[in-house]
Amino acid sequence: MANDSTDELTAEETPEAEPIYETLTYLDKTEQNQRLAVEELINTETSYVQNLQLCISDIRNHLQKKQLPEIDLEGLFSNIDDVLHISRRFLKGLEAAMNQEHEQLYRISTLFQELKEEMENVYKIYCGDYDQALLLLEIYRNEPRLQKEIVDTLTVTVPHIGASDLSFFLVMPVQRVTKYPLLLQKILENTPVSDSAYGALQAAAAAMTDVNANINEYKRRKEVANKYNKPGYLTLRERLARLNPHSIAKKTTRLSRLFMQEAGIVPKTKDKEFDTLEEKFQDLSSAVADLKENVASFLSNTEAFLSYKPHENELGTEGGTIQQYCQLEGKLHSTVFAEFRRRLENLVYLPLVNLSETLKGPQKLIKKRLDKQLDYEEFEEKKNETGSVTYEEEAAMNTYLAINSLLVSELPVFNQVALQWLGHILRTFVAFLRDLASQVLQEAEREAAQLPHRHLPAPDFGKMVKDSLSQAEAQLYSYCKKFETVMPSSVAEQPLSPAEERKVHLLMSKHGPEKLYQVTSNTSGSKNMDLVLQRGQIVALLHDRDTKGNTNRWLVDSGGPRGYVSPGKLQPYHLVQNPKPRMQVSVPGGGGGEQMHQPYNLPQAPSPALHFRAQALHVVAGYPFAARSSHEVSLQAGEPVTVLEPHDKKGCTEWSLVEVNGQKGYVPSSYLVTVPIPEPPGWGSPAWPYPAPQT
């Protein structure tokens, strides 16, 4: 009985031992696959880093030594140095994790999550530039000489690889970043759910999947931006050829919606983050344009300065140190000034031109964003009403979102880089000016050391200087007298036409004589709202800065259109009372010399007092207006207002910036009317008293 029971017990236990054995076998196999997956990650990363090092240290450096300007190495290799740097750090972390047997998987997962952001930023740039690199390679393949140079480089530097084309190396970073989620997923599949590192591996795999998704989204946005940012200028014929019923309807819809937004009929989408970035970009663009214009003017003046060579002409002086002066002047013209002009053009002006050209791309994209925003608002409104939009309309909405997202993410970086670029140009300009002053001073001191009177006592030297200055003053006075006979008359000596005189009277009655200015040279507007004025024209100052606070652009009234002009081309226009009944203009700043006056041939009057028939006017609200936002101000019919600017920030004249009861804001320009100022009781309109007719 005992044996029977023992046999039965053995028979009962034997079937239970088989699944335990199978479980142990499964665990061993899973652990082995996990170890192989980890080894694959590390081994492939090691090989990847080695190939990147070959690509940089051997292939690229070899092409650089060949000095082939036709090959754009930066366009081909993009930021591959950053890719190598992050890959080396990642490989070093993997190797360190291998030494921690029990926490190996957890350390690998943590490493991926720690480097996620850096990997995304680095690979995003490389993958975004990869398509452009392939286009460059295709161009070089069509050039037998360049293709031969590339193939020879591969043969010399990496013969053991057997690569026949550079794309073999360039595609590696693109393939590697897409493989990380697959390698992590393979490790995760061979890791038990009960393992302490399972959750960390899941998070690492999800992180690298997000990295690839963000890279793909960045590439899509960049493709959309490149589509609307292609270089080239379309002629009028080409623009007209592009017109069709669909494009005309689309532009009409945009224009209609823009008008409705400006009129306040439909709301406008507000994006404070983008508006702030755009304002900074526009300020930067304006600064670059102004500096470029000023440096161009400086270069032009330098060229004019170098064109005059008084040391090569007879100066009308005898003896003294004139010979040394001519030597110094000749040396400065031929070496110091010429070198300064060359450096200024190559290292200041040309970089400014390049920076200005670089700004055109974002500027074009910002403009296209506005067009797409109008489409987006139109289709979104339709979607909210009907619940659906067509495929083309959905694509248009996605295009706006892509452009907006790209600008919001890229404009901060672009603004920062462009600002650094501009700062470097300015510092270079200042350094050149310092070098110029130092070189001129050094040459002057060298010549001064050879002067015969360098050892004279102070009193004798002072007497010699006074005598020399007196002699020079007499010669200068003689020269000035001769110049006065041949030089054109100054601005103040140019007589005004009767129409200009009437315009001066009107401007003075509207703004007061202290606001009048005269244009000293012709102006040509280069920006929106800039005026084109002629030399000698009279204007009235409205505001000593523009809407952005720039004091280099004054808002003036020319008696017709209002706009901006540089204050450097204006001088105060003074009215001087004369015993005879006529107006005179004095040129300011004539210190010590005779002031020049130019009479206006106004009607003769028996009294010396100045009288004007021009009637004073002021602006009032013609209709009541209720403000709808903080940017607007309310009006009551008949309420007097002060017009600060006859347009909004974009130059649109449908809205005016006004001040009412101490509050500033925008109102519709059509709500404003100009009326005469009522005269006080007992006062008559001032007029020119004409003499009684002779009988």
Side-chain angles (χ1 to χ4, degrees):
M1 293 291 294
N3 292 337
D4 292 340
S5 62
T6 302
D7 294 337
E8 291 176 1
L9 181 62
T10 304
E12 291 176 357
E13 292 177 349
T14 301
E16 294 179 358
E18 292 178 1
I20 294 175
Y21 175 77
E22 291 177 359
T23 302
L24 292 175
T25 304
Y26 172 77
L27 289 176
D28 292 342
K29 186 175 181 180
T30 302
E31 184 177 353
Q32 183 179 4
N33 290 337
Q34 181 191 86
R35 188 181 301 109
L36 291 175
V38 172
E39 289 178 356
E40 181 184 1
L41 170 64
I42 297 176
N43 292 337
T44 54
E45 188 69 22
T46 302
S47 176
Y48 169 62
V49 170
Q50 290 174 351
N51 286 330
L52 285 181
Q53 290 174 336
L54 287 176
C55 188
I56 295 175
S57 60
D58 293 346
I59 300 175
R60 190 181 65 180
N61 291 348
H62 192 273
L63 288 173
Q64 284 177 340
K65 292 178 181 178
K66 288 190 173 186
Q67 296 182 351
L68 300 171
E70 302 92 340
I71 297 182
D72 182 6
L73 296 180
E74 185 176 353
L76 283 176
F77 294 94
S78 185
N79 65 328
I80 197 169
D81 294 286
D82 297 333
V83 175
L84 177 59
H85 177 70
I86 191 67
S87 299
R88 281 175 173 170
R89 289 175 54 195
F90 181 62
L91 179 60
K92 186 176 181 180
L94 289 178
E95 292 173 347
M98 289 297 292
N99 298 327
Q100 301 179 6
E101 183 175 353
H102 298 291
E103 296 184 358
Q104 183 184 92
L105 296 180
Y106 181 80
R107 292 296 301 168
I108 292 175
S109 304
T110 304
L111 184 62
F112 271 106
Q113 296 182 63
E114 288 176 351
L115 297 179
K116 171 193 173 184
E117 185 174 352
E118 292 184 59
M119 281 187 172
E120 179 177 330
N121 293 334
V122 169
Y123 280 99
K124 181 169 63 176
I125 296 175
Y126 187 89
C127 294
D129 296 339
Y130 177 68
D131 291 339
Q132 182 65 27
L134 293 182
L135 290 177
L136 289 175
L137 282 180
E138 186 65 27
I139 293 173
Y140 302 151
R141 289 192 191 100
N142 296 329
E143 295 288 339
R145 182 178 65 86
L146 297 179
Q147 177 65 10
K148 184 177 183 303
E149 294 288 351
I150 294 176
V151 173
D152 291 345
T153 297
L154 294 175
T155 304
V156 172
T157 56
V158 285
H160 56 287
I161 300 294
S164 60
D165 193 83
L166 192 57
S167 59
F168 175 82
F169 291 93
L170 297 182
V171 75
M172 287 182 177
V174 179
Q175 294 175 335
R176 188 60 185 174
V177 72
T178 58
K179 198 170 182 179
Y180 285 137
L182 302 178
L183 292 172
L184 284 170
Q185 189 63 33
K186 189 174 182 180
I187 297 174
L188 187 64
E189 290 174 355
N190 292 282
T191 301
V193 179
S194 58
D195 195 300
S196 58
Y198 189 85
L201 283 171
Q202 276 186 321
M208 296 312 297
T209 301
D210 291 342
V211 167
N212 280 270
N214 293 338
I215 291 175
N216 290 333
E217 179 63 19
Y218 174 80
K219 288 186 64 178
R220 187 183 72 84
R221 295 173 184 171
K222 192 170 182 179
E223 289 171 358
V224 172
N226 291 337
K227 174 184 177 182
Y228 296 107
N229 198 25
K230 293 180 180 179
Y233 174 78
L234 295 178
T235 63
L236 179 60
R237 183 185 297 273
E238 292 171 336
R239 292 178 184 273
L240 292 175
R242 288 190 172 192
L243 290 179
N244 54 61
H246 174 70
S247 63
I248 294 175
K250 184 167 62 174
K251 295 181 185 298
T252 303
T253 302
R254 290 174 181 171
L255 188 61
S256 174
R257 187 167 190 86
L258 183 60
F259 284 156
M260 289 192 292
Q261 287 180 351
E262 294 296 333
I265 300 175
V266 296
K268 181 180 180 181
T269 303
K270 293 184 178 180
D271 189 339
K272 292 184 178 180
E273 183 180 8
F274 174 79
D275 291 342
T276 302
L277 291 173
E278 183 191 9
E279 184 176 2
K280 292 180 179 179
F281 173 80
Q282 299 297 353
D283 290 343
L284 183 62
S285 300
S286 178
V288 171
D290 289 342
L291 182 60
K292 177 185 172 184
E293 181 181 353
N294 291 333
V295 172
S297 178
F298 187 88
L299 270 174
S300 177
N301 294 337
T302 304
E303 289 286 353
F305 169 74
L306 293 177
S307 65
Y308 295 104
K309 301 178 181 179
H311 55 282
E312 296 181 357
N313 302 321
E314 181 61 40
L315 299 180
T317 58
E318 298 178 359
T321 58
I322 188 63
Q323 190 64 30
Q324 286 180 285
Y325 163 77
C326 290
Q327 291 177 358
L328 174 62
E329 191 71 15
K331 188 171 184 180
L332 292 178
H333 267 73
S334 61
T335 57
V336 178
F337 292 147
E339 178 65 14
F340 171 74
R341 184 199 60 77
R342 185 190 64 81
R343 296 173 69 192
L344 184 67
E345 182 175 1
N346 294 335
L347 300 179
V348 175
Y349 182 70
L350 290 182
L352 266 177
V353 172
N354 293 335
L355 178 57
S356 179
E357 290 297 320
T358 304
L359 293 172
K360 291 181 179 179
Q363 188 73 58
K364 192 182 298 184
L365 201 57
I366 289 173
K367 184 178 179 181
K368 180 57 65 174
R369 175 193 175 275
L370 176 60
D371 295 339
K372 295 300 179 181
Q373 182 183 13
L374 296 172
D375 295 341
Y376 177 83
E377 293 168 346
E378 185 76 21
F379 298 147
E380 187 180 37
E381 185 176 319
K382 176 183 176 182
K383 188 175 183 179
N384 293 334
E385 293 176 356
T386 64
S388 63
V389 291
T390 65
Y391 176 80
E392 291 78 9
E393 293 170 344
E394 184 73 27
M397 295 175 68
N398 292 333
T399 298
Y400 163 73
L401 294 175
I403 294 177
N404 184 72
S405 179
L406 180 66
L407 286 172
V408 169
S409 62
E410 296 294 326
L411 265 186
V413 180
F414 183 88
N415 288 343
Q416 182 180 2
V417 173
L419 188 61
Q420 292 174 352
W421 191 350
L422 181 60
H424 179 71
I425 292 174
L426 286 172
R427 287 190 293 269
T428 302
F429 187 31
V430 173
F432 286 170
L433 292 176
R434 287 177 178 171
D435 290 346
L436 176 64
S438 176
Q439 292 175 15
V440 171
L441 181 61
Q442 183 179 0
E443 294 295 335
E445 289 177 344
R446 185 180 294 114
E447 292 295 333
Q450 302 176 13
L451 293 175
H453 49 68
R454 66 184 184 279
H455 299 304
L456 286 178
D460 295 340
F461 180 78
K463 183 178 182 302
M464 185 202 68
V465 170
K466 289 181 180 179
D467 294 342
S468 299
L469 290 177
S470 298
Q471 183 182 2
E473 184 180 7
Q475 292 177 343
L476 182 60
Y477 181 78
S478 176
Y479 290 152
C480 289
K481 287 297 183 182
K482 293 180 180 179
F483 288 157
E484 288 177 359
T485 63
V486 296
M487 292 295 288
S489 58
S490 63
V491 175
E493 293 178 337
Q494 302 292 336
L496 297 179
S497 64
E500 281 292 325
E501 290 179 5
R502 289 192 296 270
K503 188 181 295 184
V504 170
H505 301 160
L506 182 59
L507 289 175
M508 188 167 61
S509 64
K510 290 173 63 176
H511 307 288
E514 71 280 357
K515 294 290 187 178
L516 298 186
Y517 284 80
Q518 190 169 29
V519 181
T520 57
S521 62
N522 295 341
T523 65
S524 58
S526 59
K527 301 179 183 177
N528 291 335
M529 298 297 296
D530 280 359
L531 292 178
V532 178
L533 303 175
Q534 301 298 320
R535 180 175 181 266
Q537 191 170 343
I538 310 300
V539 297
L541 175 63
L542 299 177
H543 203 48
D544 61 353
R545 63 195 65 207
D546 62 9
T547 55
K548 296 183 179 179
N550 183 7
T551 56
N552 290 324
R553 297 180 75 209
W554 283 8
L555 180 65
V556 299
D557 182 0
S558 65
R562 296 183 177 186
Y564 294 103
V565 66
S566 171
K569 297 186 177 182
L570 299 176
Q571 69 177 14
Y573 182 78
H574 300 294
L575 296 175
V576 180
Q577 188 167 331
N578 196 33
K580 295 183 180 181
R582 58 183 184 178
M583 251 189 320
Q584 294 184 340
V585 181
S586 64
V587 179
E594 296 181 358
Q595 290 186 335
M596 294 180 291
H597 303 283
Q598 173 62 36
Y600 291 156
N601 297 321
L602 298 178
Q604 299 293 328
S607 69
L610 290 176
H611 302 280
F612 301 95
R613 184 172 295 277
Q615 192 174 24
L617 305 173
H618 70 160
V619 181
V620 299
Y623 312 95
F625 174 72
R628 297 162 298 179
S629 68
S630 59
H631 300 290
E632 299 174 356
V633 64
S634 299
L635 297 176
Q636 298 296 330
E639 189 175 22
V641 300
T642 301
V643 179
L644 302 179
E645 291 186 358
H647 54 80
D648 60 11
K649 291 184 177 180
K650 296 182 179 179
C652 178
T653 57
E654 295 182 1
W655 291 84
S656 297
L657 179 63
V658 302
E659 182 175 357
V660 183
N661 297 327
Q663 296 183 350
K664 297 181 180 180
Y666 288 97
V667 299
S669 301
S670 59
Y671 280 51
L672 305 178
V673 295
T674 304
V675 298
I677 298 177
E679 299 174 354
W683 288 63
S685 298
W688 283 104
Y690 290 95
Q694 302 292 330
T695 58

